[in-house]
Amino acid sequence: MTLILAVLLGVLLIVLYWLFVVPRQAAAWALERFVAADYGLPPREALDLGRAGPPPPASRMRERQAVADAAWGGDWAAADRYVRAAGEDWDERWARIEVLQHVAEEDDAWLDAWRAADPGNCDAATLHASLLVHRAWAIRGSGYAHEVSGYAMNEFRALLPAAIEEARRASLLDPANPGPWVVMITAARGAQYRPKEFEQLWDGLVARAPHHFEGHWQALQYWCAKWFGSDQQMMSFARRAVRNAPPGSPLAGIYLHALDELLKRTAFALPAGPVGRRMLKRVAASFEQVDPDHELLPGLRHRLADAMVRTMMYGPALEQFRLIGPWCGADAWRRDGNAVVAFETARGTAAKLSRVRPAPAPRVQDIGRY
């Protein structure tokens, strides 16, 4: 019995050593001796804190600016054409609604004119409903309920039913369009919808767009422990998203948002066993099929690299850091304040513990005189 206890104690000490001591040593090495170029990574001085990834193509930015300028100038038809051009690519169509929402937040006179001129337009009604939801959340703020003033909470709860009703009316204007259902799902947790009520909205969304990224993100928030679900329900939902993600969709990234919710409460909450690692590998494989220019992909890669380092998947994490490049301005590295230090520590740790041999630059042989 004594021998068995000694063996178990020895195993426990080895596990603790690899869980706590080795990563700490690697983190110190990363900040003091890590040469990124030796591992095929951009050097520290080339890191860019301003963005999570490369800027969108200039043509895309020019198009958005032209639509915004036209709207502020009173030409709502440009906004209508902009949304319609996405066709039935519902993720892209929602992304364009979000662009227009930012435009309307500065000046929404053009949206009022659009709705008045074309009252049967589902996109205009959806945009207005979404704007109401975001205004409600802006009044409430992002704090927990006990941190919100009574006045702000009352205003918040008064705006949401109006937004949901507006979205319901929008859904009748174009029954195939999932946009109104995304708005309703977004508002549902603030409106205190019970699970059965929420599931009816969810069924309405997935009947129209079963892989809608924003819809899944909003549903994930509903099912997390701080709202109406639990860690188990949230993770089960996230795993289904990974399994159901079609080729080319970033939907598997919903799993990474679920892990982020766990990290907000404790740094040791990530599923680090075989199942969790398989899910991360599956997410990585799914990302290989996503368009490299997809605007969600860089931020998701940062979350994936962070999760892989935390679960000691150092080799796969290093591959993600190579794909990320010099961009380090992602939310994943801002938890502890200094994003550059966090990013450099994570990729240095991945390099040190990945068992990948460094490949220093070859020496340049001096050319002597003959």
Side-chain angles (χ1 to χ4, degrees), residues 2 6 134 141 147 168 176 179 182-183 204 214 232 247 250 265-266 312 342:
T2 303
H134 280 261
E147 300 171 337
R168 288 192 186 279
V182 177
V183 176
E214 179 66 17
Q232 182 178 0
R265 293 196 301 281
T266 172
M312 298 185 289

Side-chain angles (χ1 to χ4, degrees), residues 58-347:
S59 58
R60 189 183 304 167
M61 299 306 294
R62 285 195 298 269
E63 180 185 31
R64 291 175 180 175
Q65 190 60 54
V67 170
D69 291 340
W72 291 329
D75 179 13
W76 55 263
D80 186 19
R81 291 192 298 271
Y82 178 62
V83 178
R84 288 179 185 275
E88 293 186 1
D89 182 343
W90 298 120
D91 275 334
E92 175 62 22
R93 194 157 182 141
W94 182 259
R96 295 183 179 214
I97 289 287
E98 289 187 320
V99 169
L100 294 178
Q101 182 178 289
H102 290 301
V103 175
E105 284 171 354
E106 294 192 31
D107 178 3
D108 64 352
W110 61 273
L111 177 56
D112 292 338
W114 184 8
R115 295 175 63 228
D118 190 2
N121 190 296
C122 177
D123 293 316
T126 299
L127 175 56
H128 183 249
S130 182
L131 195 59
L132 290 178
V133 173
H134 280 261
R135 285 173 176 168
W137 279 102
I139 292 171
R140 183 196 183 281
S142 59
Y144 289 98
H146 68 274
E147 300 171 337
V148 182
S149 71
Y151 172 79
M153 188 63 78
N154 289 337
E155 288 291 304
F156 171 68
R157 289 173 176 165
L159 277 173
L160 287 179
I164 292 173
E165 182 57 31
E166 177 79 10
R168 288 192 186 279
R169 287 197 295 265
S171 71
L172 301 177
L173 300 175
D174 183 2
N177 192 328
W181 298 88
V182 177
V183 176
M184 287 186 274
I185 284 173
T186 304
R189 64 182 186 275
Q192 304 289 298
Y193 273 39
R194 296 290 98 192
K196 286 187 178 180
E197 296 174 295
F198 180 83
E199 286 168 358
Q200 291 176 352
L201 297 179
W202 179 248
D203 290 343
L205 172 64
V206 297
R208 293 160 175 81
H211 308 119
H212 200 288
F213 189 93
E214 179 66 17
H216 275 76
W217 189 89
Q218 295 295 342
L220 182 81
Q221 294 301 306
Y222 182 91
W223 291 118
C224 73
K226 67 187 178 186
W227 285 100
F228 296 98
S230 64
D231 289 347
Q232 182 178 0
Q233 287 174 295
M234 177 184 70
M235 295 308 300
S236 177
F237 178 85
R239 287 190 292 269
R240 284 198 302 273
V242 176
R243 291 193 294 268
N244 295 335
S249 168
L251 184 62
I254 290 296
Y255 182 78
L256 304 174
H257 283 285
L259 297 184
D260 193 55
E261 286 293 331
L262 295 179
L263 279 173
K264 288 177 182 177
R265 293 196 301 281
T266 172
F268 305 106
L270 295 193
V275 174
R277 289 174 180 163
R278 280 199 299 271
M279 292 304 296
L280 291 177
K281 289 180 180 179
R282 193 164 180 172
V283 171
S286 180
F287 285 175
E288 291 178 4
Q289 303 178 70
V290 178
D291 183 348
D293 288 334
H294 198 295
E295 288 187 274
L296 292 178
L297 187 58
L300 292 173
R301 281 205 188 281
H302 284 279
R303 293 181 189 276
L304 177 57
D306 179 43
M308 284 178 162
V309 171
R310 291 177 183 273
T311 54
M312 298 185 289
M313 297 174 63
Y314 300 117
L318 182 59
E319 289 302 313
Q320 294 302 315
F321 282 116
R322 286 172 175 158
L323 292 167
I324 287 168
W327 316 99
C328 63
D331 291 342
W333 315 115
R334 299 183 186 277
R335 297 187 189 98
D336 300 322
N338 192 323
V340 173
V341 171
F343 181 77
E344 188 71 351
T345 301
R347 69 178 189 154

